[in-house]
Amino acid sequence: MTRTVVESKTKTAVLGFDEPFCVIGERINPTGRKKLAAELEAGDFSTVEKDAIAQVAAGATVLDINAGVVYNSNPNPNETEPPLMRKIVELVQGLVDVPLCVDSSVPGALEAGLEAAEGRPLLNSVTGEEDRLELVLPLVKKYNVPVVAISNDDTGISEDPDVRFEVAKKIVERAADFGIPAHDIVVDPLVMPIGAMATAGQQVFALVRRLREELGVNTTCGASNVSFGLPNRHGINNAFLPMAMGAGMTSAIMNPVALPVGPKKLAEKKAEVEAKGIILPADMDDETFCQLFGLGSTKPRAGKEMEAIRAANLLTNNDPHGGEWIRFNKSPEEAGAAGAVGGRRGGGRRRRA
């Protein structure tokens, strides 16, 4: 049975068909996050620290580290990204003990992350493009790490799943030429937005089954891509993830955290309640208010996608005896007490014997 092993200094995560689903936390990535990008250019890593801790607390098995900031002061990522990648990797692994995924399009940043990472990180990524294969596969071999293989090549991203399968096959075969085994290739078959392509879900489920049966590889995806541009994206993601797991997908790059209710939304809801003539106790705190009116929480917590994944793990017998499901559904106070007496963290991580 195919198993892809990633490690930190003290923890091991295993991707496999008979393993709990591997959640790769995506939040440490400045793409589309102007505030985070500005912080990183200024040398402020406070959001990175918060995101690292919150994602692990929510159940992330692995953390993706992307340092792709285009500095206003220096727009050359080949110069700025490698030292930033090194800094973030060192910082994050000093805060949390889960394995890391070093994520960049800049070869120098990939190597800087590999040099700084303790254990055996996942490398993200290689594509079927010839120059990318020649740049990345030697790094994979040199550092003996698994790699995410994205199913596009020099012709771009094909809407034909058969073409995407052939690109994945090509990468697996080229990796073998470098002495890299198939179990160290984690294929991203590329999930298309369902709003733009009605058959996107059916395509990826069929493609994942084929990748598992014909190539014997583990798979991953950017989970939120499927719901791009549609309302209630969490509802779609919650359905997509268990269906992808049922098809054989073994991991996803995703946000495991339900972001906290902000002051603006809180104030709007309080005004709405007040307008209806509802009188609240003077000593009611914001967290109790959020719980009472179904807003969520003022604190970061595991998102609904994590609930769907935990349930799917239970239903596929990748959570024997339901231990993780039970822990996931305990109150924070109960979970903290369990951790204090040696309860194992969620997310399918294992200590090596």
Side-chain angles (χ1 to χ4, degrees):
M1 189 68 74
T2 300
R3 284 180 171 80
T4 304
V5 177
V6 290
E7 298 172 319
S8 67
K9 188 175 181 178
T10 59
K11 296 283 186 181
T12 298
V14 182
L15 283 68
F17 307 138
D18 57 351
E19 296 286 337
F21 194 72
C22 178
V23 174
I24 303 171
E26 70 178 7
R27 291 285 295 167
I28 304 174
N29 186 338
T31 304
R33 300 179 69 187
K34 292 182 179 179
K35 179 175 179 290
L36 176 57
E39 287 177 357
L40 293 176
E41 185 169 3
D44 178 358
F45 297 92
S46 55
T47 297
V48 169
E49 294 171 350
K50 292 174 185 175
D51 283 345
I53 293 168
Q55 288 182 104
V56 173
T61 315
V62 175
L63 291 186
D64 187 88
I65 308 293
N66 185 303
V69 181
V70 178
Y71 287 176
N72 292 320
S73 57
N74 182 354
N76 185 353
N78 292 306
E79 295 178 0
T80 60
E81 194 170 332
L84 181 60
M85 174 66 80
R86 184 184 298 275
K87 172 66 177 178
I88 297 176
V89 166
E90 291 173 346
L91 174 69
V92 170
Q93 66 190 5
L95 292 170
V96 296
D97 59 358
V98 299
L100 302 182
C101 176
V102 178
D103 181 359
S104 180
S105 60
V106 176
L110 289 177
E111 185 147 29
L114 290 171
E115 289 173 348
E118 298 172 333
R120 190 174 196 250
L122 179 63
L123 195 66
N124 189 7
S125 59
V126 69
T127 65
E129 296 165 291
E130 287 300 323
D131 59 346
R132 192 72 179 170
L133 289 166
E134 293 300 321
L135 285 169
V136 176
L137 291 181
L139 287 177
V140 175
K141 179 62 177 177
K142 177 181 176 181
Y143 289 92
N144 185 29
V145 294
V147 64
V148 174
I150 301 178
S151 298
N152 68 279
D153 60 12
D154 302 272
T155 64
I157 301 173
S158 174
E159 293 187 357
D160 185 340
D162 291 334
V163 173
R164 300 207 300 278
F165 176 84
E166 290 302 324
V167 174
K169 184 179 179 181
K170 170 188 172 181
I171 297 172
V172 171
E173 290 173 347
R174 289 290 294 276
D177 292 340
F178 284 84
I180 301 164
H183 65 249
D184 276 341
I185 309 295
V186 181
V187 173
D188 181 346
L190 293 170
V191 179
M192 305 295 187
I194 195 78
M197 180 186 294
T199 59
Q202 293 170 305
Q203 276 195 8
V204 78
F205 302 146
L207 192 46
V208 165
R209 291 189 189 97
R210 193 175 176 194
L211 289 164
R212 171 176 174 165
E213 293 166 4
E214 296 185 34
L215 299 184
V217 294
N218 282 306
T219 47
T220 194
C221 71
S224 63
N225 288 355
V226 73
S227 61
F228 182 78
L230 293 174
N232 188 13
R233 295 184 66 184
H234 292 293
I236 297 170
N237 298 344
N238 292 347
F240 169 75
L241 283 162
M243 293 175 75
M245 292 167 68
M249 187 169 283
T250 50
S251 69
I253 302 170
M254 55 177 281
N255 179 14
V257 181
L259 298 181
V261 177
K264 180 179 179 181
K265 187 173 182 180
L266 196 60
E268 289 173 350
K269 187 65 176 180
K270 285 183 176 180
E272 178 186 323
V273 168
E274 188 175 312
K276 291 179 179 178
I278 299 173
I279 300 174
L280 300 172
D283 60 350
M284 178 179 286
D285 59 49
D286 288 344
E287 180 65 17
T288 302
F289 178 85
C290 285
Q291 297 294 325
L292 183 63
F293 290 95
L295 287 184
S297 174
T298 59
K299 305 170 185 177
R301 69 199 192 287
K304 283 293 184 181
E305 287 90 341
M306 292 302 299
E307 181 177 80
I309 288 168
R310 300 286 193 190
N313 279 334
L314 177 65
L315 292 167
T316 55
N317 198 32
N318 286 326
D319 177 11
H321 312 298
E324 295 298 338
W325 178 251
I326 292 168
R327 274 187 283 274
F328 180 76
N329 284 283
K330 285 183 176 178
S331 67
E333 292 78 14
E334 290 176 311
V341 295
R344 185 169 71 85
R345 294 194 201 183
R349 296 185 295 275
R350 298 175 170 181
R351 288 193 180 274
R352 301 189 76 182

